Amino acid sequence: MRTPYQEAFDHVTASERLKDEVLDMTKREKQDLCRRIPKFILIAAVIVLLLAGTALAVNMPHLQDWFRQYWVEATGEDVMNAQQEEVMNSVTQSVDATSNMEKELEGISSEATSPNNIPDQAAANKDAPDTTQSPSAGQTPATSHEPTITVSLDSVAAGEDTLWMLVHVTGNYETGKRYSFGRGELLGAPEKEFSELGITVSRGVVAEQCEILTDGSLQILLRYQCLNSSADLTQGGTYQLQLEDLMMERDLVKAGQWNLSFSLDETTTSVPVVLEHITLPVEGLDNQDTVEFEEIRITSTGVKLVCQPQFSGYRLWADVALILADGSEISGSRGHSNWTGDADKSNWFTAYNWNLPVAVEQAIALRFGETVITFPQK
């Protein structure tokens, strides 16, 4: 049973330190990143306009297009090689989910909460006289012509503990601004249960990037990470993506909720590389500057490191990357740590996700800061 953290803690006897650690680890990230329009989108738009004359057409990038652009930026190659294409396509599925907005949260409209509107002081005073005028007889009340914002889920890529989700948002948006959702949740995804504390925790959905398309509409790349170390999202499942409140930076664009239900089939990824008993430098532990990791597991979508529980709480590395055979690097992001089982008793793990699915067969090493771990020769 899901219980708010504060209420759950009123009924357990775990130490205050342990409670603080669990809560600190499971805070949802609210980082919204927005990058410049990739060159491939601009080039595609020019081609469309040339071919169509004065007619306006929209070139809608798919999730694979985003991954290809990452690959070009990371490796300097003009095109993605065949093996990399195969891995990328094997973990990516097209889905058909659309929502025209389920509701406006708590009856609040974007017009009422827009920073361009000055609040009516009388509206906040229940004792103030009603100065609104009813329409005259035979006169039709004014209606809002504000267009409905539709959100659709285009495609999803699945790793063992992560999902990339590309959504399209109708409307006309301002270039150079960051757009995201105020809250995102993935229902149906495995959760992390701390039975001894009486709580269940999960991680929210965060916006990684956004792009304004040629027709003014919006694409947002979302990322979900699972805190349950034993879960495997590549096995497929049925989920519902819940998104609330479309935001432009810190300003509310549209208050409401969009529910997108979808199913994923089982996917196949590259055979993982597993390293055992690897020692790495760490920071943040008392009288301990190295940790021996019992296992480091490298997959197409990320890396997971597991160590003994007494080493829990070390500081995450700010710079993690997968090194390919040609010397180029695929960066890791969204690092997080947790216990594999019971808090303070089970092994401690740290996980990062690559910026795109990678053919592990093309990788030769891992880098944590300045420390490089070379893979054994096959």
Side-chain angles (χ1 to χ4, degrees):
M1 178 178 179
R2 301 183 62 180
T3 308
Y5 300 159
Q6 291 81 358
E7 295 180 9
F9 286 145
D10 289 340
H11 300 86
V12 298
T13 59
S15 68
E16 292 299 324
R17 177 192 63 80
L18 182 56
K19 297 173 187 176
D20 291 342
E21 287 182 1
V22 173
L23 287 176
D24 184 63
M25 283 188 311
T26 56
K27 286 180 180 177
R28 291 178 176 174
E29 299 179 14
K30 292 295 181 181
Q31 299 175 352
D32 300 318
L33 304 178
C34 186
R35 298 173 50 178
R36 294 177 299 173
I37 298 178
K39 292 180 180 179
F40 79 94
I41 294 180
L42 295 176
I43 294 172
V46 172
I47 294 174
V48 168
L49 290 175
L50 289 175
L51 293 177
T54 58
L56 294 178
V58 182
N59 183 51
M60 187 84 70
H62 297 291
L63 187 52
Q64 291 97 325
D65 296 316
W66 288 67
F67 290 152
R68 291 186 185 100
Q69 181 63 20
Y70 279 133
W71 180 265
V72 170
E73 294 175 354
T75 65
E77 299 179 2
D78 293 334
V79 295
M80 185 178 287
N81 62 67
Q83 188 177 38
Q84 175 62 31
E85 280 272 358
E86 181 180 359
V87 170
M88 178 188 68
N89 291 329
S90 70
V91 301
T92 305
Q93 301 179 41
S94 296
V95 296
D96 183 15
T98 301
S99 175
N100 293 322
M101 192 173 73
E102 302 296 326
K103 61 181 179 180
E104 291 190 353
L105 298 180
E106 299 180 357
I108 301 176
S109 68
S110 59
E111 182 179 358
T113 55
S114 171
N116 297 324
N117 293 317
I118 300 176
D120 186 352
Q121 299 298 327
N125 185 356
K126 296 181 180 179
D127 298 327
D130 185 3
T131 59
T132 58
Q133 297 182 358
S134 301
S136 303
Q139 186 177 14
T140 304
T143 58
S144 173
H145 297 286
E146 183 179 1
T148 299
I149 293 179
T150 299
V151 177
S152 56
L153 180 60
D154 170 79
S155 46
V156 179
E160 290 185 353
D161 66 345
T162 190
L163 294 179
W164 289 271
M165 295 169 284
L166 183 61
V167 297
H168 176 253
V169 185
T170 61
N172 197 349
Y173 301 95
E174 187 176 349
T175 58
K177 299 295 185 179
R178 295 176 306 197
Y179 291 89
S180 62
F181 291 95
R183 178 178 176 272
E185 186 175 1
L186 187 66
L187 303 183
E191 296 177 318
K192 172 63 179 176
E193 181 179 359
F194 291 98
S195 56
E196 74 283 11
L197 298 179
I199 62 175
T200 299
V201 297
S202 60
R203 204 167 199 182
V205 174
V206 297
E208 291 213 324
Q209 292 194 62
C210 64
E211 301 291 352
I212 308 299
L213 302 183
T214 55
D215 68 341
S217 63
L218 174 68
Q219 278 191 324
I220 303 178
L221 180 61
L222 305 174
R223 178 78 72 90
Y224 168 79
Q225 283 183 313
C226 182
L227 298 180
N228 188 332
S229 64
S230 62
D232 185 358
L233 301 179
T234 65
Q235 298 300 310
T238 300
Y239 309 98
Q240 184 179 81
L241 175 62
Q242 289 190 349
L243 301 171
E244 294 179 4
D245 294 349
L246 181 62
M247 310 291 294
M248 182 185 73
E249 298 178 351
R250 294 183 179 273
D251 296 332
L252 180 65
V253 175
K254 182 67 175 179
Q257 178 172 304
W258 295 264
N259 298 333
L260 299 152
S261 298
F262 64 98
S263 295
L264 296 178
D265 297 327
E266 182 177 355
T267 59
T268 302
T269 60
S270 299
V271 177
V273 174
V274 178
L275 308 176
E276 296 180 338
H277 304 294
I278 301 297
T279 299
L280 292 174
V282 297
E283 297 179 353
L285 296 180
D286 294 337
N287 304 317
Q288 187 81 31
D289 56 6
T290 63
V291 167
E292 180 182 294
F293 290 90
E294 297 181 351
E295 179 180 283
I296 301 179
R297 178 182 173 86
I298 304 99
T299 68
S300 296
T301 56
V303 58
K304 182 168 67 176
L305 306 90
V306 181
C307 66
Q308 292 292 323
Q310 64 266 29
F311 303 125
S312 65
Y314 55 78
R315 192 174 305 146
L316 294 176
W317 297 277
D319 184 16
V320 175
L322 184 67
I323 302 176
L324 304 182
D326 63 0
S328 57
E329 296 186 351
I330 304 298
S331 297
S333 61
R334 302 291 179 195
H336 66 277
S337 294
N338 209 320
W339 287 283
T340 58
D342 292 342
D344 241 8
K345 299 177 182 178
S346 62
N347 284 340
W348 182 257
F349 80 93
T350 294
Y352 291 84
N353 294 125
W354 312 130
N355 283 340
L356 77 160
V358 183
V360 178
E361 298 85 351
Q362 298 182 11
I364 60 171
L366 275 174
R367 184 176 58 77
F368 298 89
E370 297 181 356
T371 303
V372 176
I373 307 298
T374 304
F375 296 168
Q377 297 293 325
K378 297 181 180 180

